[in-house]
């Protein structure tokens, strides 16, 4: 959220990066400012093979430029749609297990660091192939997945609860809806890392 992503490279290098350019006009709103700065702080603090890596933040008078790892295979939502079109079937159990091991490893890492993502969904999971041949064949069993977009993420101390009602409604944990209902009825509410 709050920006455009560009394919970039270091001058004199063939290494590709994705650079997310975030307009500083969003800093004028305290709520969006909080999400942008949380995202940067959290990305600087994490390092896991199944989470997108932030290399550098370049700041200009008008923009934050987040130089992040480039993933060459699109996102899992796009891949799933292509797979269903071509095979007229869902992913195999073996493939689901392969993907879930990576996703669960990343989520456990985040929770061990007391970080909740709050917006994990297929479009927020990118695919990267080390081999162009595997990419061409869409051989997902040879790919790595990377969780992205930490705009709604935050640190959550042990025993602490979060209260914001956010995330994609289709993917949102039902617990958040139940807690929102409690809020409307003026009862205590809140949620923890289980929402991921």
């Amino acid at each position: 959220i709050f920006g455009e992503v560009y394919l970039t490279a270091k001058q004199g290098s063939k290494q590709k990066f994705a650079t997310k350019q975030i307009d500083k006009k969003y800093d004028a709103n305290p709520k969006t400012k909080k999400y942008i700065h949380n995202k940067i702080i959290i990305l600087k603090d994490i390092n896991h093979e199944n989470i997108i890596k932030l290399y550098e933040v370049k700041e200009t008078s008008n923009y934050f430029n987040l130089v992040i790892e480039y993933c060459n295979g699109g996102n899992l939502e796009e891949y799933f749609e292509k797979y269903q079109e071509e095979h007229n079937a869902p992913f195999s159990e073996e493939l689901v297990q392969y993907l879930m091991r990576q996703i669960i490893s990343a989520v456990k890492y985040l929770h061990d660091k007391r970080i909740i993502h709050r917006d994990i969904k297929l479009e927020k999971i990118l695919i990267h192939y080390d081999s162009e041949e595997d990419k061409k064949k869409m051989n997902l069993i040879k790919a790595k997945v990377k969780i992205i977009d930490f705009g709604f993420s935050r640190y959550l101390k042990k025993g602490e609860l979060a209260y914001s009602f956010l995330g994609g409604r289709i993917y949102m944990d039902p617990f958040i809806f139940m807690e929102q209902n409690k809020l409307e009825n003026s009862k205590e509410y809140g949620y923890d890392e289980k929402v991921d």
Side-chain angles (χ1 to χ4, degrees):
I1 57 173
F2 312 126
E4 297 290 328
V5 180
Y6 301 94
L7 179 61
T8 57
K10 264 189 182 169
Q11 198 168 5
S13 165
K14 291 184 180 179
Q15 187 178 358
K16 294 176 181 175
F17 300 92
T19 299
K20 183 162 191 175
Q21 189 174 72
I22 303 170
D23 197 314
K24 285 187 172 177
K25 70 182 178 187
Y26 294 112
D27 257 12
N29 179 323
K31 193 171 185 177
T32 55
K33 180 177 182 174
K34 180 180 81 172
Y35 292 139
I36 291 166
H37 289 270
N38 272 353
K39 174 189 193 121
I40 293 170
I41 290 164
I42 287 170
L43 281 170
K44 283 181 174 181
D45 186 37
I46 55 181
N47 185 16
H48 188 279
E49 65 179 344
N50 300 118
I51 298 173
I52 204 75
K53 183 172 181 57
L54 173 68
Y55 291 105
E56 190 177 2
V57 178
K58 293 182 175 182
E59 196 172 335
T60 68
S61 54
N62 296 319
Y63 298 101
F64 294 109
N65 294 290
L66 280 60
V67 181
I68 54 179
E69 184 176 9
Y70 168 67
C71 292
N72 60 11
N75 68 50
L76 206 48
E77 181 179 56
E78 295 164 343
Y79 187 92
F80 184 68
E81 287 170 4
K82 286 179 193 170
Y83 186 92
Q84 282 191 308
E85 282 175 21
E86 288 182 18
H87 298 90
N88 197 27
F91 287 160
S92 69
E93 186 175 333
E94 177 191 20
L95 182 52
V96 171
Q97 288 174 353
Y98 174 76
L99 297 171
M100 287 306 296
R101 273 194 296 274
Q102 294 180 67
I103 294 165
I104 290 167
S105 174
V107 171
K108 182 184 182 312
Y109 171 85
L110 291 173
H111 291 177
D112 286 348
K113 290 184 77 66
R114 307 302 307 165
I115 296 166
I116 57 174
H117 188 284
R118 299 195 285 189
D119 199 24
I120 296 174
K121 50 191 173 187
L122 293 178
E123 67 190 65
K124 305 268 173 114
I125 300 171
L126 296 186
I127 301 164
H128 183 75
Y129 297 95
D130 288 332
S131 153
E132 279 300 316
E133 187 64 26
D134 285 330
K135 179 184 172 187
K136 196 170 159 184
K137 291 179 179 175
M138 293 175 60
N139 186 6
L140 196 53
I141 204 80
K142 293 282 186 80
K144 270 207 171 80
V145 296
K146 310 264 183 180
I147 295 175
I148 64 164
D149 202 344
F150 286 77
F152 290 156
S153 300
R154 63 164 284 191
Y155 289 94
L156 195 68
K157 294 175 189 164
K158 193 164 186 157
E160 185 183 9
L161 297 175
Y163 300 95
S164 301
F165 188 72
L166 44 72
R169 289 179 180 264
I170 293 171
Y171 297 95
M172 194 179 291
D173 189 297
F175 187 72
I176 294 179
F177 285 109
M178 289 190 303
E179 297 306 330
Q180 181 68 14
N181 187 47
K182 285 183 187 175
L183 171 65
E184 290 164 5
N185 293 320
S186 300
K187 294 178 184 172
E188 188 179 342
Y189 76 110
Y191 55 87
D192 60 17
E193 73 278 0
K194 293 183 188 79
V195 298
D196 288 339

